[in-house]
Amino acid sequence: MLALSGTGIGRGIAIGRALILDGWQDEVPHFQIDPGDVDQEVSRFNEAIASVRLELRHLQAKLPPTAPPETGAFIDVHLLMLDDPLISHQPAESIENEKINAEWALKNHADTLVAFFDNISDPYLRTKKEDVTQVVGRIMDVLTRGEDRRRSDVAGLDQALNSRIIVARDLSPADTVMLRHRNMTAFVTRLGGPISHTAILARSLGLTAVVGLHRVIDTIRDGDQLIVDAATGTVLVSPDDRLLAQFQALQQRQHAQKQALAKLGKEKAVTRDNEEITLLANIELPEDLDALDDSGAAGVGLYRTEFLFMNRTEPPEEEEQYQAYCHVLNSVHGPVTIRTLDLGADKQVDGGRAEPTAAMTAALGLRAIRLCLSEPSLFKPQLRAILRAAVHGDARLMIPMLSSLQELEQSLALIREVCAELEREGAAFDPNIPVGGMIEVPAAAISADLFAQKLDFFSIGTNDLIQYTLAIDRVDDSVNYLYDPLHPSVLRLVHNVIQAGSEAGIPVSMCGEMAGDPDFTRLLLGLGLRQFSMEPSRLLEIRQQVRDSRLSRLPGWAERILECADSTSLHGLVDQLNAEDCA
Ligand code: PEP
Ligand code: MG
């Protein structure tokens, strides 16, 4: 057994067999072969194809009657792909003509196929790339590790592919959305951090994951039994029966606890001294609304609209956006804060690949409102759609990543321009929609008092605020260890924003991951926060924490914590605060 350690996403436990995704794309042996070895190399390649074919048929024959019907079709597609000349014949020709090893020949042709699927505009067909990657991965596995090991493993493979745990170098947010369609419940990746958008999505989709697991690709093989423990960020590879039973019992306990917590959905989020706190949900796609009902959310505090723009090559037109926003507004009882497009950095239109409409940019680059202001043809249809949809519910419009007042003024001017256009057209729209800003760049947090004069509400985006304040790229796993919501500078900025909002008389909410972590609930209440927005799956736990807290005691604690300069003592104080019995 082997234990690997990374950063856990969520607190769940997943048990299943590994399904390696695109591991072969990283490291493939590459060398010239002697002309006299060509025949042997071609035979090695052909035998690998034959071995995988046998393996897939074997897998198909062993499918239990309870396996989902698409599992068989999934294997059929892989078998068909094995017959495709690009995979089964052309690499052999390259071995002969170019005198290169089989793995390299296969990789070259597979890359061509993957690029072909990447360029297909139909989002469904584009997902077929995953099938190519998986088939090629299987062949590569036989070639690089020998077929004996594979054959002996095949007998132990889980029958239902959707109970497999994805193992990959990295997953883009768009790929993670695709996992939902495959009903997969867990993944582990070599790259990634706790507040990357992939991690955030994983939480909201209820996936269990460990990211930043450096040795994952070298040490986990397709079909290995895995235990993924997100609470500790541990992945156990090939655990023994005793450990397996232990984790299965733990998994069942977690399930029972979740069901007990679910009953809280109907209870109010009131503190012990009767202060009601507003708990809202973050959503990424209209489909996320299903999770809202059971969570008891009072509305949507953050609707990340950029996910409507992903997994496609053309941005959605105004009408499509309008329909999507109307659907959300009609389905939610309570306010819905629609955030304008936050594309760029790790959120690209086409699953992380460069696109003409949104160039590859880093976190400090042309992202969010900067990108929108530089491309009015992308931004204006969205503003029009939001303003039109706003007549169907309690909508608010929120601008991400503001860093200067000029940017804010430019955005407000564009909103006025769009209102005038809609007016001229005689369209139904809400000219008085509240306009708020995300405070997630230190510049805005420091000057929150100035922004408060021009905005109707604030929402603190701690994911970016922490990234920019501590200068740690949220997707770079090598600096994960520096991520600290309790860093004194972060706490001071959060406090400053809450105070500025309160002095200006505008509501302040928090929609970063910090708002959904029960370890910080009491401290944030003590700092004066009264609105929390989070992934729906976090709401019940936060509701419990609110109900277990006595608000009158918290400002004193918050003051002591704000004054504490030493990080270890500060963390200790927060632990003490959380351990306090407020009965
Ligand atoms: C944030 O930055 O905290 C936030 C909520 O926005 P996003 O995670 O989408 O950048
Ligand atoms: Mg943000």
Side-chain angles (χ1 to χ4, degrees), residues 568-581:
T568 315
S569 317
L570 194 153
H571 278 82
L573 275 176
V574 174
D575 288 346
Q576 280 176 41
L577 163 62
N578 289 335
E580 196 184 52
D581 183 2

Side-chain angles (χ1 to χ4, degrees), residues 265-331:
K266 307 279 175 276
E267 306 286 341
K268 282 191 162 178
V270 283
T271 60
R272 297 227 167 205
D273 39 0
N274 257 335
E275 277 277 349
E276 185 157 1
I277 305 301
T278 308
L279 300 187
L280 302 157
N282 293 352
I283 61 166
E284 276 80 41
L285 290 164
E287 293 97 287
D288 293 337
L289 293 170
D290 296 344
L292 236 63
D293 284 345
D294 300 336
S295 72
V300 170
L302 169 66
Y303 173 12
R304 289 182 165 101
T305 58
E306 53 276 11
F307 287 88
L308 282 175
F309 291 66
M310 289 184 183
N311 285 317
R312 57 198 298 163
T313 46
E314 294 300 322
E317 300 208 336
E318 177 184 328
E319 196 54 31
E320 185 184 336
Q321 293 188 57
Y322 168 73
Q323 295 297 344
Y325 306 148
C326 283
H327 174 60
V328 173
L329 283 163
N330 287 327
S331 319

Side-chain angles (χ1 to χ4, degrees), residues 321-361:
Q321 293 188 57
Y322 168 73
Q323 295 297 344
Y325 306 148
C326 283
H327 174 60
V328 173
L329 283 163
N330 287 327
S331 319
V332 174
H333 306 289
V336 176
T337 302
I338 307 178
R339 181 175 73 179
T340 60
L341 204 51
D342 182 3
L343 277 174
D346 64 331
K347 285 183 289 193
Q348 298 292 328
V349 224
D350 193 13
R353 290 168 286 278
E355 275 289 320
T357 45
M360 287 291 269
T361 51

Side-chain angles (χ1 to χ4, degrees), residues 436-457:
M438 284 204 64
I439 305 299
E440 50 183 347
V441 176
I446 293 165
S447 307
D449 54 332
L450 303 178
F451 283 83
Q453 291 166 21
K454 295 181 187 297
L455 287 166
D456 297 317
F457 63 92

Side-chain angles (χ1 to χ4, degrees), residues 197 304 339 342 347 367 400-401 438 440 461 463-465 474:
H197 286 98
R304 289 182 165 101
R339 181 175 73 179
D342 182 3
K347 285 183 289 193
R367 187 193 147 186
M401 213 194 163
M438 284 204 64
E440 50 183 347
N463 307 335
D464 279 312
L465 189 61
R474 59 197 272 190

